[in-house]
Amino acid sequence: MRRQAFHVKLWPLSLALAALVLALVSAGCVSAAGSRGWAPPVQTADFLLVNPGKGKIDAIDPITGDRKWRFPDHWRIEDREARKLSAVYGPPIVSGDTVFVGAYNGWVYAFKPSEASEDEDRRRPAAAFKVRGAIVGGIALDATGEYLYVTTDEGLLYAINATDLRAATEAGKNIRARFEPFHVPDRIWTPPVIAGDRVYFATTGGELYALDARNGEPVWQEPFRAAAALVSTPVVADGMVLVGGFDRRLYAVDASTGRERWRAEATDWVWTKPLVDSGTVYFADFAGKVFAVSLGSGQPVWQEPSDVGRSVRASLVLAGGSLVVATESGDLYGLEPRSGARAWGPVRLGKTLHADLLANGATVYVAPTGCVGDETGGKFYYYRVNTSTRERQSTASVC
């Protein structure tokens, strides 16, 4: 592993994020102890999935905030090792009547929300499949819903049969793979991104790969190579793959050839998933700078970057006419998309926020790393912000 590509520093990272970086880049055993995870919110027609930390996925009513169920508490997991999720970094995937989750402990789970039960004697089993290495980036389901792709911290890409996993009653039994796990020499912190018949992912060695999703064979003559670790979730847009990394750059790579089209310079690590809208790419860095560049050329769209003052890991979203940015300290800002000028903020959540934001109209759903207390001694959890009124809505049901 080429550790020199990381250029690791601890400031302005929060302690939680710094601990993760140190744990994952250090040699030897990778421990999940103390990890909270930063799975982003996921919205369905019936519930909002949030990750309040500590290896839990809660389904809450997005209107009332009442909790409907909690995974893994309301299911039975047969394998003792798989019972503790430890942390979840990638978003859960909802497909039909099933939810898939990839956890930092190296297990992939499948369960049906309709089978949730608070009664221990009536709990239904959740399926679990063990992969080699911690799951940091997450999982992806192909368009057919047939294969689930998983990247791991040991440099492996898996493609497992999702139908088999749904039906599994014993951990890892009778689950077919589409191809043998594809192995690279460095850690994979990005999720697999599927576009058409290709799957893309990047590594801490600074390489971006494109594979044939059907057989796991490389489609470029060689991977694209950056100067340091590539860690942001790749985004495929206009025939390019956009990805940012620890060399303070956002790259646009030709999706067909793997060759660089352009690069945009930042001032610090780029870990945000690029946001593409109407020919503009928005992203932020760990110095708190927010950038807007042309999708076609990578040239700046704003006269100068906007500055929110603290490091940003969460993806940016457009909501209620604003470009919404969340700092790792848990403050939300609204920027004017055309100029980068600050329109409002900060709206304070009181907890660190590394999870990507989710926009729905004027509402932004968030997943902070836990609950906050009030003067009465109670605890509550912010899960959404109205960008028009700046009102925060909270729930105590997940605390």
Side-chain angles (χ1 to χ4, degrees):
M1 182 179 73
R2 286 164 285 179
R3 286 185 217 151
Q4 69 273 16
F6 283 88
H7 307 302
V8 174
K9 65 177 182 177
L10 298 187
W11 182 258
L13 277 70
S14 70
L15 290 178
L17 190 52
L20 172 69
V21 172
L22 285 177
L24 293 181
V25 302
S26 61
C29 178
V30 176
S31 171
S35 297
R36 282 186 171 272
W38 54 54
V42 174
Q43 189 175 26
T44 75
D46 301 317
F47 48 76
L48 179 73
L49 296 181
V50 296
N51 171 223
K54 298 182 179 179
K56 306 291 184 183
I57 299 293
D58 286 315
I60 62 176
D61 185 306
I63 304 301
T64 66
D66 294 334
R67 192 180 75 187
K68 294 187 171 186
W69 48 260
R70 167 171 281 180
F71 183 79
D73 299 24
H74 296 162
W75 280 263
R76 187 175 76 251
I77 298 178
E78 302 293 352
D79 190 284
R80 181 176 298 179
E81 181 190 349
R83 290 175 191 166
K84 186 177 181 181
L85 271 69
S86 68
V88 180
Y89 289 95
I93 294 175
V94 182
S95 177
D97 63 353
T98 304
V99 176
F100 298 97
V101 175
Y104 186 60
N105 62 2
W107 288 84
V108 182
Y109 303 88
F111 60 92
K112 295 181 179 181
S114 61
E115 296 179 344
S117 177
E118 295 187 8
D119 186 341
E120 187 172 356
D121 294 332
R122 296 186 177 182
R123 289 177 187 162
R124 300 287 296 167
F129 178 79
K130 179 67 172 175
V131 297
R132 201 179 87 203
I135 300 172
V136 179
I139 59 179
L141 191 66
D142 70 4
T144 67
E146 186 176 1
Y147 287 97
L148 194 68
Y149 293 77
V150 185
T151 53
T152 82
D153 183 55
E154 291 199 15
L156 292 163
L157 170 77
Y158 290 79
I160 61 176
N161 189 288
T163 302
D164 290 350
L165 183 59
R166 286 185 181 97
T169 55
E170 296 182 66
K173 300 294 184 181
N174 302 316
I175 296 177
R176 293 166 291 173
R178 194 169 197 178
F179 48 79
E180 288 295 315
F182 184 85
H183 185 256
V184 297
D186 297 285
R187 303 175 189 270
I188 306 173
W189 287 4
T190 71
V193 173
I194 302 169
D197 59 2
R198 293 184 180 182
V199 56
Y200 302 92
F201 64 88
T203 76
T204 59
E207 295 181 331
L208 175 68
Y209 289 83
L211 305 183
D212 189 314
R214 298 163 296 187
N215 56 29
E217 294 294 325
V219 296
W220 297 338
Q221 289 187 352
E222 58 182 25
F224 169 79
R225 292 180 174 87
L230 294 175
V231 291
S232 76
T233 299
V235 170
V236 181
D238 197 26
M240 295 178 287
V241 185
L242 307 173
V243 64
F246 287 179
D247 61 357
R248 306 178 180 186
R249 293 169 180 153
L250 179 77
Y251 292 95
V253 179
D254 190 290
S256 297
T257 66
R259 295 172 183 163
E260 181 180 322
R261 290 239 199 125
W262 54 257
R263 65 178 66 177
E265 302 287 340
T267 58
D268 211 320
W269 290 359
V270 178
W271 207 330
T272 58
K273 176 182 178 180
L275 169 65
V276 179
D277 182 74
S278 301
T280 299
V281 184
Y282 302 96
F283 66 100
D285 68 16
F286 268 72
K289 297 295 193 296
V290 185
F291 303 85
V293 299
S294 165
L295 176 61
S297 66
Q299 293 300 306
V301 171
W302 299 338
Q303 288 187 351
E304 59 183 22
S306 188
D307 190 349
V308 294
R310 297 296 296 272
S311 58
V312 180
R313 202 226 72 91
S315 65
L316 288 59
V317 293
L318 289 163
S322 296
L323 177 67
V324 183
V325 184
T327 69
E328 62 93 19
S329 58
D331 295 337
L332 267 65
Y333 295 86
L335 306 181
E336 208 290 318
R338 292 186 179 180
S339 67
R342 185 178 300 182
W344 52 265
V347 174
R348 303 188 186 281
L349 300 177
K351 278 287 183 179
T352 55
L353 202 159
H354 302 131
D356 289 348
L357 305 178
L358 172 67
N360 185 350
T363 298
V364 172
Y365 293 105
V366 296
T369 57
C371 298
V372 294
D374 60 18
E375 61 277 2
T376 67
K379 289 186 176 181
F380 54 92
Y381 177 85
Y382 288 120
Y383 67 93
R384 72 178 185 180
V385 176
N386 186 308
T387 59
S388 297
T389 64
R390 269 59 102 193
E391 292 178 338
R392 301 164 298 175
Q393 188 160 353
S394 67
T395 178
S397 64
V398 303
C399 299

